[in-house]
Amino acid sequence: MNRWFPSPPLSIALLTVWLLLNQSLAPAHLLLGTFLAVVVPLLSRPLRPLAPVPFRKPVVMARLLASSLVEIVRSCFNVSRIILFTKPKGLNSQFIRVPLDLKNPHGLALLSCLINSTPGTVWVEILPGTHDLALHVFDLHDEQWWIDTIKTRYEQPLIEIFDY
Amino acid sequence: MNLGIDTVTPWVGLPVVMLLLLGSIIVLIGALGLVRLPNFYQRIHGPAITITLGAGCILIASMIFFTALQSRLVIHELLITAFVLLTAPVVAMLIMRAAVYRDLRAASRNHSPGSDEVYQFPREK
Amino acid sequence: MATLLSLAIGFTLLCIILAMLLCTIRLLLGPAAQDRVLALDTLWMCAMLLSLALGLRYGSLIYFEAAMLIALTGFVSTIALAKFLMRGEVVE
Protein backbone atom coordinates (compact mmCIF):
# COMPACT_ATOMS: atom_id res chain seq x y z
CA MET A 1 0.00 0.00 0.00
CA ASN A 2 2.58 2.47 1.13
CA ARG A 3 5.00 1.47 -1.58
CA TRP A 4 2.59 1.87 -4.47
CA PHE A 5 0.47 4.73 -3.10
CA PRO A 6 2.81 7.14 -1.31
CA SER A 7 -0.06 9.54 -0.76
CA PRO A 8 -3.65 8.46 -1.48
CA PRO A 9 -5.13 12.00 -1.34
CA LEU A 10 -2.72 13.10 -4.07
CA SER A 11 -3.74 10.14 -6.23
CA ILE A 12 -7.44 10.87 -5.76
CA ALA A 13 -6.87 14.55 -6.58
CA LEU A 14 -4.98 13.66 -9.77
CA LEU A 15 -7.73 11.31 -10.93
CA THR A 16 -10.36 13.98 -10.23
CA VAL A 17 -8.41 16.62 -12.14
CA TRP A 18 -8.01 14.28 -15.12
CA LEU A 19 -11.72 13.46 -15.22
CA LEU A 20 -12.70 17.12 -14.84
CA LEU A 21 -10.34 18.18 -17.64
CA ASN A 22 -11.81 15.62 -20.00
CA GLN A 23 -15.37 16.14 -18.72
CA SER A 24 -16.22 12.49 -19.07
CA LEU A 25 -16.57 9.32 -17.04
CA ALA A 26 -15.86 6.97 -19.95
CA PRO A 27 -13.93 3.79 -19.03
CA ALA A 28 -10.96 4.81 -21.17
CA HIS A 29 -10.56 8.10 -19.28
CA LEU A 30 -11.03 6.31 -15.95
CA LEU A 31 -8.28 3.84 -16.89
CA LEU A 32 -5.81 6.47 -18.08
CA GLY A 33 -6.60 8.65 -15.05
CA THR A 34 -5.97 5.77 -12.68
CA PHE A 35 -2.69 5.04 -14.44
CA LEU A 36 -1.62 8.69 -14.00
CA ALA A 37 -2.80 8.68 -10.38
CA VAL A 38 -0.49 5.73 -9.65
CA VAL A 39 2.51 6.76 -11.72
CA VAL A 40 2.78 10.50 -11.08
CA PRO A 41 3.05 10.30 -7.25
CA LEU A 42 5.65 7.55 -7.59
CA LEU A 43 7.76 9.53 -10.04
CA SER A 44 7.42 12.81 -8.15
CA ARG A 45 8.14 11.35 -4.72
CA PRO A 46 11.85 12.34 -4.85
CA LEU A 47 10.77 15.93 -5.50
CA ARG A 48 8.94 16.11 -2.21
CA PRO A 49 11.36 17.02 0.56
CA LEU A 50 9.09 16.03 3.47
CA ALA A 51 7.20 12.81 3.93
CA PRO A 52 3.49 13.24 3.21
CA VAL A 53 1.40 13.51 6.36
CA PRO A 54 -1.36 10.99 6.93
CA PHE A 55 -4.80 12.51 6.55
CA ARG A 56 -6.00 12.95 10.10
CA LYS A 57 -9.05 14.52 11.76
CA PRO A 58 -11.18 15.34 8.69
CA VAL A 59 -13.89 16.88 10.90
CA VAL A 60 -11.55 19.47 12.40
CA MET A 61 -10.15 20.19 8.93
CA ALA A 62 -13.62 20.62 7.43
CA ARG A 63 -14.66 22.93 10.27
CA LEU A 64 -11.50 25.01 9.83
CA LEU A 65 -12.02 25.34 6.07
CA ALA A 66 -15.70 26.23 6.47
CA SER A 67 -14.98 28.89 9.10
CA SER A 68 -12.21 30.41 7.00
CA LEU A 69 -14.53 30.50 3.97
CA VAL A 70 -17.04 32.50 6.01
CA GLU A 71 -14.19 34.71 7.22
CA ILE A 72 -13.01 35.28 3.62
CA VAL A 73 -16.46 36.44 2.48
CA ARG A 74 -16.92 38.63 5.56
CA SER A 75 -13.57 40.38 5.21
CA CYS A 76 -14.13 40.80 1.46
CA PHE A 77 -17.10 43.01 2.28
CA ASN A 78 -15.12 44.79 4.98
CA VAL A 79 -12.26 45.58 2.61
CA SER A 80 -14.64 46.77 -0.13
CA ARG A 81 -16.38 49.05 2.35
CA ILE A 82 -13.03 50.49 3.41
CA ILE A 83 -11.89 51.03 -0.19
CA LEU A 84 -15.13 52.76 -1.14
CA PHE A 85 -15.94 54.87 1.89
CA THR A 86 -12.86 55.45 4.03
CA LYS A 87 -10.41 58.23 3.41
CA PRO A 88 -7.00 56.67 2.69
CA LYS A 89 -5.37 58.95 5.26
CA GLY A 90 -7.52 57.51 8.02
CA LEU A 91 -6.32 53.97 7.44
CA ASN A 92 -4.10 52.38 10.01
CA SER A 93 -2.16 49.78 8.00
CA GLN A 94 0.58 48.19 10.00
CA PHE A 95 2.89 45.26 10.36
CA ILE A 96 2.20 43.23 13.46
CA ARG A 97 4.10 40.41 15.05
CA VAL A 98 2.35 37.16 16.00
CA PRO A 99 4.22 34.56 18.07
CA LEU A 100 3.47 31.09 16.68
CA ASP A 101 3.49 27.72 18.42
CA LEU A 102 2.91 25.65 15.30
CA LYS A 103 6.09 23.89 14.14
CA ASN A 104 5.03 21.49 11.40
CA PRO A 105 5.96 22.85 7.90
CA HIS A 106 2.79 21.46 6.32
CA GLY A 107 0.72 23.20 8.98
CA LEU A 108 2.61 26.45 8.45
CA ALA A 109 2.02 26.23 4.70
CA LEU A 110 -1.71 25.74 5.21
CA LEU A 111 -1.78 28.58 7.75
CA SER A 112 -0.08 30.94 5.30
CA CYS A 113 -2.53 29.98 2.55
CA LEU A 114 -5.52 30.61 4.82
CA ILE A 115 -4.19 33.94 6.10
CA ASN A 116 -3.24 35.16 2.63
CA SER A 117 -6.56 34.13 1.11
CA THR A 118 -8.36 36.30 3.63
CA PRO A 119 -8.42 39.82 2.21
CA GLY A 120 -7.02 42.38 4.59
CA THR A 121 -4.12 40.32 5.88
CA VAL A 122 -0.90 39.38 4.10
CA TRP A 123 1.70 37.04 5.54
CA VAL A 124 5.19 38.52 5.13
CA GLU A 125 7.58 36.01 6.62
CA ILE A 126 8.60 34.14 9.72
CA LEU A 127 11.21 36.44 11.16
CA PRO A 128 14.64 34.86 10.84
CA GLY A 129 16.03 33.51 14.11
CA THR A 130 12.69 33.65 15.91
CA HIS A 131 9.41 31.84 15.68
CA ASP A 132 7.35 34.96 15.15
CA LEU A 133 5.23 35.75 12.16
CA ALA A 134 5.31 39.19 10.56
CA LEU A 135 1.85 40.03 9.28
CA HIS A 136 0.56 43.07 7.45
CA VAL A 137 -2.94 44.17 8.42
CA PHE A 138 -4.97 46.50 6.19
CA ASP A 139 -6.93 48.31 8.86
CA LEU A 140 -5.61 47.71 12.35
CA HIS A 141 -7.86 48.53 15.28
CA ASP A 142 -6.60 46.26 18.01
CA GLU A 143 -3.35 44.36 17.71
CA GLN A 144 -4.15 41.97 20.56
CA TRP A 145 -7.49 41.03 18.96
CA TRP A 146 -5.73 39.98 15.74
CA ILE A 147 -3.15 37.92 17.64
CA ASP A 148 -5.86 36.17 19.68
CA THR A 149 -8.01 35.53 16.60
CA ILE A 150 -5.19 33.97 14.62
CA LYS A 151 -4.06 31.87 17.55
CA THR A 152 -7.48 30.52 18.48
CA ARG A 153 -9.27 30.37 15.16
CA TYR A 154 -6.53 29.18 12.83
CA GLU A 155 -3.57 27.92 14.79
CA GLN A 156 -5.39 25.80 17.38
CA PRO A 157 -7.10 23.48 14.83
CA LEU A 158 -3.88 23.24 12.82
CA ILE A 159 -1.92 22.18 15.90
CA GLU A 160 -4.63 19.60 16.54
CA ILE A 161 -4.31 18.29 12.97
CA PHE A 162 -0.56 18.39 12.37
CA ASP A 163 1.33 18.62 15.68
CA TYR A 164 -0.07 15.89 17.79
CA MET B 1 -25.67 34.93 -30.72
CA ASN B 2 -26.23 32.91 -27.58
CA LEU B 3 -28.94 30.60 -28.84
CA GLY B 4 -29.64 28.66 -25.68
CA ILE B 5 -30.18 31.72 -23.49
CA ASP B 6 -33.96 31.73 -24.06
CA THR B 7 -34.33 28.28 -22.56
CA VAL B 8 -32.91 29.33 -19.16
CA THR B 9 -35.61 29.32 -16.51
CA PRO B 10 -35.89 32.10 -13.90
CA TRP B 11 -34.99 29.66 -11.13
CA VAL B 12 -31.57 29.27 -12.70
CA GLY B 13 -31.33 32.73 -14.21
CA LEU B 14 -31.89 34.75 -11.05
CA PRO B 15 -29.00 33.28 -9.01
CA VAL B 16 -26.74 33.63 -12.05
CA VAL B 17 -27.70 37.31 -12.42
CA MET B 18 -27.15 38.00 -8.71
CA LEU B 19 -23.77 36.26 -8.68
CA LEU B 20 -22.64 38.04 -11.83
CA LEU B 21 -23.64 41.46 -10.46
CA LEU B 22 -21.94 40.85 -7.10
CA GLY B 23 -18.81 39.42 -8.76
CA SER B 24 -18.39 42.20 -11.27
CA ILE B 25 -18.89 44.93 -8.67
CA ILE B 26 -16.32 43.27 -6.40
CA VAL B 27 -13.84 43.01 -9.30
CA LEU B 28 -14.32 46.70 -10.02
CA ILE B 29 -13.84 47.67 -6.35
CA GLY B 30 -10.65 45.64 -6.17
CA ALA B 31 -9.18 47.41 -9.18
CA LEU B 32 -10.37 50.76 -7.79
CA GLY B 33 -8.47 50.01 -4.59
CA LEU B 34 -5.37 49.34 -6.65
CA VAL B 35 -5.58 52.87 -8.08
CA ARG B 36 -6.97 54.78 -5.11
CA LEU B 37 -4.89 53.66 -2.15
CA PRO B 38 -1.75 55.71 -1.57
CA ASN B 39 0.81 53.17 -0.39
CA PHE B 40 2.07 49.88 -1.83
CA TYR B 41 1.44 47.93 1.36
CA GLN B 42 -2.18 49.08 1.27
CA ARG B 43 -2.59 48.51 -2.44
CA ILE B 44 -1.70 44.83 -2.14
CA HIS B 45 -4.99 44.24 -0.29
CA GLY B 46 -7.09 45.57 -3.19
CA PRO B 47 -6.56 42.74 -5.70
CA ALA B 48 -7.11 40.15 -2.94
CA ILE B 49 -10.87 40.73 -3.04
CA THR B 50 -10.84 40.59 -6.87
CA ILE B 51 -9.18 37.21 -6.78
CA THR B 52 -11.19 35.59 -3.99
CA LEU B 53 -14.78 36.78 -4.01
CA GLY B 54 -14.95 38.33 -7.50
CA ALA B 55 -13.47 35.36 -9.31
CA GLY B 56 -15.39 32.96 -7.06
CA CYS B 57 -18.78 34.54 -7.87
CA ILE B 58 -18.18 34.60 -11.62
CA LEU B 59 -16.92 31.00 -11.62
CA ILE B 60 -19.96 29.76 -9.66
CA ALA B 61 -22.27 31.70 -12.00
CA SER B 62 -20.58 30.09 -14.99
CA MET B 63 -20.97 26.64 -13.44
CA ILE B 64 -24.72 27.11 -12.83
CA PHE B 65 -25.28 28.68 -16.26
CA PHE B 66 -23.60 25.97 -18.30
CA THR B 67 -25.13 23.18 -16.22
CA ALA B 68 -28.56 24.59 -17.09
CA LEU B 69 -27.67 25.34 -20.70
CA GLN B 70 -26.28 21.93 -21.57
CA SER B 71 -28.60 19.94 -19.22
CA ARG B 72 -25.67 18.02 -17.77
CA LEU B 73 -23.27 18.64 -14.91
CA VAL B 74 -20.59 21.11 -16.04
CA ILE B 75 -18.25 21.65 -13.11
CA HIS B 76 -14.84 21.90 -14.72
CA GLU B 77 -14.69 25.51 -13.50
CA LEU B 78 -13.83 23.91 -10.18
CA LEU B 79 -10.35 23.37 -11.63
CA ILE B 80 -9.79 27.11 -12.11
CA THR B 81 -11.28 27.80 -8.67
CA ALA B 82 -8.94 25.34 -6.99
CA PHE B 83 -5.96 26.59 -8.97
CA VAL B 84 -6.64 30.26 -8.20
CA LEU B 85 -7.28 29.53 -4.51
CA LEU B 86 -3.98 27.64 -4.30
CA THR B 87 -1.84 30.12 -6.21
CA ALA B 88 -3.17 33.53 -5.14
CA PRO B 89 -1.73 33.28 -1.59
CA VAL B 90 1.67 32.28 -2.95
CA VAL B 91 1.70 35.20 -5.38
CA ALA B 92 0.64 37.68 -2.68
CA MET B 93 3.31 36.43 -0.28
CA LEU B 94 6.09 36.55 -2.91
CA ILE B 95 5.20 40.08 -4.09
CA MET B 96 5.00 41.24 -0.45
CA ARG B 97 8.40 39.79 0.36
CA ALA B 98 9.91 41.26 -2.81
CA ALA B 99 8.60 44.69 -1.81
CA VAL B 100 9.84 44.32 1.76
CA TYR B 101 13.34 43.28 0.69
CA ARG B 102 13.54 46.04 -1.90
CA ASP B 103 12.49 48.64 0.65
CA LEU B 104 14.94 47.32 3.21
CA ARG B 105 17.75 47.50 0.66
CA ALA B 106 16.74 51.03 -0.39
CA ALA B 107 16.59 52.14 3.26
CA SER B 108 20.04 50.75 4.06
CA ARG B 109 21.42 52.45 0.95
CA ASN B 110 19.92 55.84 1.80
CA HIS B 111 20.49 55.68 5.57
CA SER B 112 17.05 57.12 6.17
CA PRO B 113 15.12 54.69 8.30
CA GLY B 114 11.80 55.68 9.77
CA SER B 115 10.06 56.73 6.62
CA ASP B 116 6.49 55.60 6.15
CA GLU B 117 7.03 53.18 3.27
CA VAL B 118 9.72 51.13 4.94
CA TYR B 119 9.12 47.80 6.57
CA GLN B 120 9.43 48.19 10.31
CA PHE B 121 9.17 45.29 12.63
CA PRO B 122 6.84 46.02 15.49
CA ARG B 123 8.69 46.23 18.74
CA GLU B 124 8.33 43.42 21.23
CA LYS B 125 6.18 44.21 24.19
CA MET C 1 -35.34 36.20 -18.34
CA ALA C 2 -33.17 36.19 -21.45
CA THR C 3 -32.96 40.01 -21.60
CA LEU C 4 -32.14 40.28 -17.90
CA LEU C 5 -29.47 37.64 -18.24
CA SER C 6 -27.85 39.22 -21.28
CA LEU C 7 -27.97 42.63 -19.55
CA ALA C 8 -26.22 41.14 -16.52
CA ILE C 9 -23.56 39.52 -18.71
CA GLY C 10 -23.04 42.82 -20.51
CA PHE C 11 -22.68 44.62 -17.17
CA THR C 12 -20.11 42.04 -16.08
CA LEU C 13 -18.09 42.55 -19.26
CA LEU C 14 -18.23 46.33 -18.78
CA CYS C 15 -17.07 46.10 -15.14
CA ILE C 16 -14.21 43.77 -15.97
CA ILE C 17 -13.02 46.00 -18.80
CA LEU C 18 -13.18 49.06 -16.50
CA ALA C 19 -11.18 47.12 -13.92
CA MET C 20 -8.59 46.28 -16.58
CA LEU C 21 -8.36 49.97 -17.49
CA LEU C 22 -7.77 50.87 -13.83
CA CYS C 23 -5.07 48.21 -13.61
CA THR C 24 -3.44 49.65 -16.72
CA ILE C 25 -3.40 53.09 -15.10
CA ARG C 26 -1.57 51.67 -12.09
CA LEU C 27 0.73 49.72 -14.40
CA LEU C 28 1.71 52.94 -16.18
CA LEU C 29 1.88 55.12 -13.06
CA GLY C 30 4.16 52.89 -11.07
CA PRO C 31 5.81 54.33 -8.98
CA ALA C 32 7.88 51.32 -7.90
CA ALA C 33 8.51 48.08 -9.73
CA GLN C 34 6.49 46.05 -7.25
CA ASP C 35 3.42 48.19 -7.98
CA ARG C 36 3.75 47.33 -11.65
CA VAL C 37 4.09 43.62 -10.94
CA LEU C 38 1.00 43.71 -8.72
CA ALA C 39 -0.95 45.61 -11.39
CA LEU C 40 0.16 43.13 -14.06
CA ASP C 41 -0.97 40.22 -11.91
CA THR C 42 -4.38 41.80 -11.36
CA LEU C 43 -4.64 42.61 -15.06
CA TRP C 44 -3.97 38.97 -15.82
CA MET C 45 -6.64 37.81 -13.38
CA CYS C 46 -9.12 40.22 -14.98
CA ALA C 47 -8.22 38.85 -18.41
CA MET C 48 -9.04 35.37 -17.13
CA LEU C 49 -12.40 36.57 -15.82
CA LEU C 50 -13.05 38.42 -19.09
CA SER C 51 -12.53 35.22 -21.01
CA LEU C 52 -14.96 33.40 -18.70
CA ALA C 53 -17.55 36.17 -19.14
CA LEU C 54 -17.14 35.99 -22.93
CA GLY C 55 -17.83 32.28 -22.64
CA LEU C 56 -21.08 33.12 -20.85
CA ARG C 57 -21.93 35.71 -23.52
CA TYR C 58 -21.54 33.32 -26.44
CA GLY C 59 -22.66 30.20 -24.61
CA SER C 60 -19.55 28.30 -25.56
CA LEU C 61 -17.25 26.13 -23.47
CA ILE C 62 -14.17 26.85 -25.58
CA TYR C 63 -13.42 30.02 -23.60
CA PHE C 64 -12.88 27.89 -20.51
CA GLU C 65 -9.69 26.48 -22.01
CA ALA C 66 -8.39 29.98 -22.66
CA ALA C 67 -9.20 31.02 -19.08
CA MET C 68 -7.37 27.97 -17.75
CA LEU C 69 -4.28 28.75 -19.84
CA ILE C 70 -4.30 32.41 -18.79
CA ALA C 71 -4.52 31.41 -15.12
CA LEU C 72 -1.61 28.95 -15.47
CA THR C 73 0.74 31.26 -17.36
CA GLY C 74 -0.18 34.22 -15.16
CA PHE C 75 0.89 32.39 -12.03
CA VAL C 76 4.24 31.33 -13.50
CA SER C 77 5.08 34.76 -14.89
CA THR C 78 4.16 36.62 -11.71
CA ILE C 79 6.26 34.22 -9.63
CA ALA C 80 9.20 34.77 -11.99
CA LEU C 81 8.84 38.57 -11.81
CA ALA C 82 8.52 38.58 -8.03
CA LYS C 83 11.57 36.33 -7.66
CA PHE C 84 13.48 38.64 -9.96
CA LEU C 85 12.56 41.67 -7.85
CA MET C 86 13.51 39.88 -4.65
CA ARG C 87 16.91 38.54 -5.64
CA GLY C 88 17.80 40.09 -8.97
CA GLU C 89 17.85 36.75 -10.77
CA VAL C 90 15.17 34.24 -11.67
CA VAL C 91 16.97 30.91 -11.55
CA GLU C 92 19.35 30.49 -8.66
Side-chain angles (χ1 to χ4, degrees):
Chain A
M1 178 70 190
N2 221 351
R3 182 150 161 231
W4 290 102
F5 290 103
S7 142
L10 182 60
S11 300
I12 294 172
L14 275 170
L15 179 60
T16 318
V17 164
W18 184 257
L19 292 179
L20 278 178
L21 267 178
N22 285 297
Q23 297 186 56
S24 104
L25 276 175
H29 286 306
L30 272 175
L31 213 63
L32 190 50
T34 317
F35 173 72
L36 283 177
V38 174
V39 167
V40 172
L42 280 180
L43 289 181
S44 66
R45 185 157 48 170
L47 294 177
R48 218 171 162 178
L50 300 167
V53 277
F55 196 64
R56 214 179 300 111
K57 305 211 174 161
V59 179
V60 181
M61 183 70 111
R63 208 184 306 134
L64 173 68
L65 291 182
S67 75
S68 37
L69 195 65
V70 172
E71 185 64 25
I72 285 174
V73 174
R74 210 181 53 84
S75 48
C76 263
F77 287 116
N78 274 341
V79 170
S80 351
R81 205 193 57 231
I82 291 171
I83 288 177
L84 283 181
F85 301 119
T86 310
K87 289 232 183 331
K89 293 283 165 223
L91 272 181
N92 183 18
S93 306
Q94 268 182 19
F95 290 97
I96 63 172
R97 188 177 186 139
V98 183
L100 290 181
D101 296 320
L102 186 64
K103 297 283 192 301
N104 186 302
H106 288 107
L108 285 175
L110 187 54
L111 180 65
S112 75
C113 272
L114 290 179
I115 286 180
N116 266 346
S117 296
T118 312
T121 48
V122 177
W123 170 296
V124 183
E125 60 183 348
I126 297 222
L127 297 174
T130 62
H131 212 264
D132 289 1
L133 158 70
L135 186 73
H136 188 258
V137 181
F138 187 42
D139 193 15
L140 186 72
H141 289 301
D142 182 2
E143 187 175 341
Q144 197 55 45
W145 182 85
W146 277 102
I147 294 176
D148 291 344
T149 310
I150 283 171
K151 286 196 85 68
T152 55
R153 191 176 291 163
Y154 294 110
E155 200 187 357
Q156 211 52 52
L158 284 173
I159 287 177
E160 220 174 298
I161 294 169
F162 290 101
D163 283 347
Y164 50 96
Chain B
M1 298 230 211
N2 190 341
L3 295 175
I5 205 169
D6 295 323
T7 63
V8 175
T9 54
W11 288 111
V12 176
L14 272 184
V16 172
V17 168
M18 300 304 273
L19 282 173
L20 279 180
L21 291 183
L22 178 65
S24 50
I25 288 174
I26 291 279
V27 166
L28 195 55
I29 292 175
L32 190 69
L34 192 66
V35 171
R36 188 166 172 262
L37 296 171
N39 178 326
F40 173 77
Y41 295 128
Q42 292 170 358
R43 281 199 280 267
I44 199 170
H45 297 290
I49 63 172
T50 298
I51 289 170
T52 52
L53 196 60
C57 283
I58 293 179
L59 284 163
I60 294 173
S62 165
M63 266 188 262
I64 299 174
F65 183 76
F66 280 116
T67 303
L69 202 63
Q70 310 224 333
S71 344
R72 66 186 174 95
L73 201 58
V74 181
I75 50 169
H76 59 193
E77 279 87 352
L78 278 181
L79 281 178
I80 295 188
T81 316
F83 185 75
V84 166
L85 277 185
L86 285 181
T87 57
V90 182
V91 167
M93 184 166 71
L94 266 179
I95 296 183
M96 192 66 170
R97 292 179 70 171
V100 162
Y101 284 129
R102 277 173 66 91
D103 279 346
L104 281 181
R105 257 178 301 179
S108 66
R109 214 180 298 130
N110 294 337
H111 299 291
S112 64
S115 85
D116 195 32
E117 294 258 337
V118 177
Y119 183 43
Q120 286 171 326
F121 295 113
R123 257 170 260 104
E124 291 208 62
K125 279 189 287 228
Chain C
M1 200 62 232
T3 27
L4 188 60
L5 206 52
S6 43
L7 273 180
I9 294 173
F11 180 73
T12 310
L13 285 171
L14 186 74
C15 278
I16 294 175
I17 290 171
L18 276 179
M20 288 176 85
L21 277 179
L22 290 176
C23 292
T24 317
I25 292 175
R26 182 47 75 193
L27 183 64
L28 294 176
L29 278 182
Q34 55 263 36
D35 289 294
R36 293 176 209 261
V37 173
L38 185 64
L40 196 62
D41 182 55
T42 316
L43 191 62
W44 222 303
M45 269 300 155
C46 290
M48 185 203 87
L49 292 178
L50 183 69
S51 146
L52 275 177
L54 279 176
L56 288 177
R57 169 88 172 78
Y58 293 112
S60 132
L61 285 174
I62 298 295
Y63 289 90
F64 164 79
E65 320 283 338
M68 186 90 198
L69 279 181
I70 293 174
L72 287 170
T73 49
F75 170 65
V76 176
S77 61
T78 312
I79 291 291
L81 283 170
K83 281 289 277 187
F84 179 72
L85 285 188
M86 195 148 67
R87 293 280 160 77
E89 53 185 319
V90 180
V91 181
E92 296 178 28

